Amino acid sequence: MAPRTTIRKAPERPHPRPRTALILGLAGLLAATGVTALTGTAQAASTLGAAAAEKGRYFGTAVAANHLGESAYANTLNTEFNSVTPENEMKWDAVEPSRGSFSYGSADQIVNHAQSRGMKVRGHTLVWHSQLPSWVGSLATADLRSAMNNHITQVMTHWKGKIHSWDVVNEAFQDGSSGARRSSPFQDKLGNGFIEEAFRTARAADPAAKLCYNDYNTDGVNAKSNAVYNMVRDFKARGVPIDCVGFQSHFNSASPVPSDYQANLQRFADLGVDVQITELDIEGSGTAQANSYSNVVRACLAVSRCTGITVWGVTDKYSWRASGTPLLFDGNYAKKPAYTAVLTALGGSGGGGGGGGTASCSVTYSKAEEWNDGFNGRVTVTAGSSAITSWTTTVTVTSPQKISATWNGSPTWDSSGNVMTMRPNGNGSLAAGASTSFGFTVMKNGNNSAPVLGSCTAS
Ligand code: G3I
């Protein structure tokens, strides 16, 4: 990405005079060189990479070398992202298709593209059961061990100093409740120890690279993530070199963002490793998709050791699951609501496309528990295409009904006591497309009508 300058508000200092002099001096210099000075107020970043950088994180994407020649693809990549992961080009079948014969061309294209624009590169991946050429699987144990170590050493040495984080071992655990390792040539012939051997070899090959274990279906607390957690804890206890854990984060309606996503990231971080969101994509569209993306970004920002987010592709049209439209840009490179939600969650603004501009919100009602003479109602408040800092709506019940309790909001009442105006109680700030809810208990007093909501106003 081209270097960009963000004018920030200068921090408050005890002695304002030197700062004034500095600003006047700078203004004079700019005037003399014919450059117009921007006003000295903080300006929200307007791209994903810049907004993430202001939060001390990177925002990356998977990239396929064969699309770099498409101008809309390259422009979107160059404008929005500051880290790349080759989607397939660094995998074993691509870089060592036959034993000892290495081909780095396609991956080099991506690395060079990134480096010449100041983007970081994630390395993906060194030891994985998939996209593994068949010659590896046919080796006997001793040969396989030396082939694995040689592969790691050669590949990491080729890009030494250019890769910020490597997925050293990918997807080594089984799905489901067993917590067991997945069968693979490495597991079956070298045993459990292959993972730590790979990490030790990787550390020796490029000591500056962060070494990650990367997997999917480990995004919440479950048997598989527990097994990975136990391995990382053991590695840290025994001094096996591991620096980070990658959470792929491929989501859809059958596998939504888990409610304990942030807690799961945090428990790994608490072991003393960085965590990274490495292959994020969320099938869906519109507000629901935007909401999920926003939740993922906010979870990462809430975990200080969550160092960056990578989405698994630039545009829906080239996604590995294109029919699920899981990415931030549609097939025509238009920004989706999910884009705006991510940018907003990162603290940026001005994304446009998916919305932007005026604060707005909407409300929906649903009935929760009900009993003989009462029921609980829940109102969900959803921000429109811009982030909001406050919202207001009304709930009107039919006399002689009475609202006897409320939660997650600050109510005021009209003189009849039937119209409740609800405002936030610590839950006013919502990212674009994000939601909160409040609840209340209605005493029926013989009337079972549903409450009527007023419109939602936001600021
Ligand atoms: O390049 C060939 C092309 O020449 C050939 O005509 C065509 C015919 O099928 O295949 C092309 O290769 C495909 C390659 O993607 C490039 O598009 C492979 O068949 C296809 O299997 C491969 O899929 C990749 C998949 O990993 C393989 O496991 C996806 O692009 C890639 O997004 C996906 O990424 C993985 C991560 O590495 C690990 N985590 C899960 C993630 C999603 O599955």
Side-chain angles (χ1 to χ4, degrees):
M1 192 169 73
R4 78 188 37 248
T5 312
T6 306
I7 308 274
R8 292 163 185 269
K9 198 186 270 179
E12 290 306 324
R13 290 190 203 152
H15 306 295
R17 233 184 237 155
R19 186 176 55 168
T20 311
L22 181 69
I23 290 170
L24 289 174
L26 182 64
L29 181 67
L30 290 171
T33 52
V35 178
T36 311
L38 298 174
T39 48
T41 51
Q43 214 169 318
S46 60
T47 66
L48 303 171
E54 293 198 343
K55 302 285 186 192
R57 270 90 173 170
Y58 63 85
F59 202 95
T61 177
V63 166
N66 61 344
H67 301 315
L68 286 173
E70 184 183 326
S71 60
Y73 184 93
N75 287 340
T76 307
L77 167 64
N78 298 345
T79 305
E80 294 289 344
F81 298 94
N82 59 6
S83 174
V84 299
T85 306
E87 186 171 357
N88 289 295
E89 293 78 352
M90 287 184 177
K91 292 172 180 174
W92 197 314
D93 62 353
V95 296
E96 194 186 3
S98 56
R99 190 169 186 182
S101 143
F102 290 85
S103 63
Y104 298 117
S106 301
D108 273 341
Q109 242 184 290
I110 297 174
V111 173
N112 294 340
H113 183 101
Q115 285 222 305
S116 63
R117 291 165 178 82
M119 300 171 180
K120 295 163 164 259
V121 183
R122 285 196 93 255
H124 176 77
T125 177
L126 294 164
V127 181
W128 187 28
H129 65 275
S130 180
Q131 287 171 287
L132 187 66
S134 55
W135 66 263
V136 182
S138 8
L139 299 177
T141 302
D143 240 4
L144 177 65
R145 184 185 304 284
S146 73
M148 179 185 84
N149 288 323
N150 184 53
H151 180 80
I152 294 169
T153 303
Q154 297 294 325
V155 175
M156 288 187 76
T157 302
H158 178 76
W159 286 298
K160 191 169 180 172
K162 297 183 176 176
I163 307 283
H164 72 82
S165 307
W166 266 109
D167 291 330
V168 177
V169 175
N170 197 42
E171 303 176 4
F173 284 82
Q174 271 179 29
D175 289 322
S177 58
S178 72
R181 309 285 167 104
R182 176 197 295 273
S183 167
S184 72
F186 308 107
Q187 179 67 35
D188 300 347
K189 291 178 187 161
L190 307 181
N192 283 353
F194 90 86
I195 302 183
E196 68 179 272
E197 183 162 350
F199 275 85
R200 291 187 199 278
T201 304
R203 177 66 94 225
D206 184 355
K210 300 261 190 200
L211 307 181
C212 304
Y213 176 79
N214 188 51
D215 215 327
Y216 67 92
N217 282 354
T218 50
D219 311 301
V221 176
N222 56 40
K224 189 174 177 183
S225 68
N226 286 346
V228 176
Y229 179 87
N230 290 337
M231 177 188 75
V232 175
R233 188 173 53 186
D234 171 57
F235 279 15
K236 294 300 286 184
R238 291 190 297 111
V240 178
I242 184 167
D243 307 304
C244 37
V245 176
F247 297 85
Q248 295 186 8
S249 306
H250 294 292
F251 297 121
N252 57 22
S253 56
S255 173
V257 182
S259 56
D260 54 8
Y261 188 69
Q262 180 183 322
N264 190 48
L265 297 177
Q266 186 65 59
R267 73 170 176 151
F268 277 86
D270 290 343
L271 291 176
V273 289
D274 289 344
V275 294
Q276 301 178 3
I277 295 166
T278 50
E279 304 182 14
L280 176 63
D281 57 8
I282 307 175
E283 292 187 338
S285 61
T287 303
Q289 185 181 47
N291 247 337
S292 298
Y293 264 104
S294 174
N295 289 338
V296 169
V297 172
R298 289 196 286 178
C300 178
L301 293 181
V303 175
S304 59
R305 292 199 76 146
C306 181
T307 56
I309 299 172
T310 299
V311 291
W312 205 239
V314 175
T315 156
D316 281 341
K317 75 172 162 171
Y318 298 138
S319 163
W320 69 293
R321 43 183 190 172
S323 62
T325 61
L327 295 171
L328 303 178
F329 293 87
D330 72 13
N332 297 314
Y333 298 94
K335 293 167 178 170
K336 294 163 62 177
Y339 169 93
T340 308
V342 168
L343 182 63
T344 307
L346 289 169
S349 71
T358 332
S360 65
C361 56
S362 59
V363 277
T364 56
Y365 168 76
S366 63
K367 189 193 271 184
E369 303 80 10
E370 182 169 15
W371 55 98
N372 270 354
D373 57 349
F375 59 88
N376 288 335
R378 169 209 283 261
V379 173
T380 301
V381 180
T382 304
S385 54
S386 293
I388 63 174
T389 55
S390 191
W391 46 264
T392 308
T393 191
T394 59
V395 177
T396 304
V397 296
T398 309
S399 181
Q401 291 177 333
K402 285 288 172 224
I403 295 180
S404 62
T406 70
W407 51 95
N408 219 20
S410 302
T412 53
W413 307 89
D414 77 336
S415 53
S416 74
N418 290 331
V419 183
M420 172 176 76
T421 299
M422 193 61 114
R423 295 188 175 81
N425 181 10
N427 54 346
S429 287
L430 296 176
S435 298
T436 187
S437 64
F438 63 85
F440 51 90
T441 299
V442 177
M443 299 313 296
K444 294 179 186 171
N445 294 328
N447 185 311
N448 202 12
S449 314
V452 176
L453 300 184
S455 56
C456 189
T457 56
S459 57

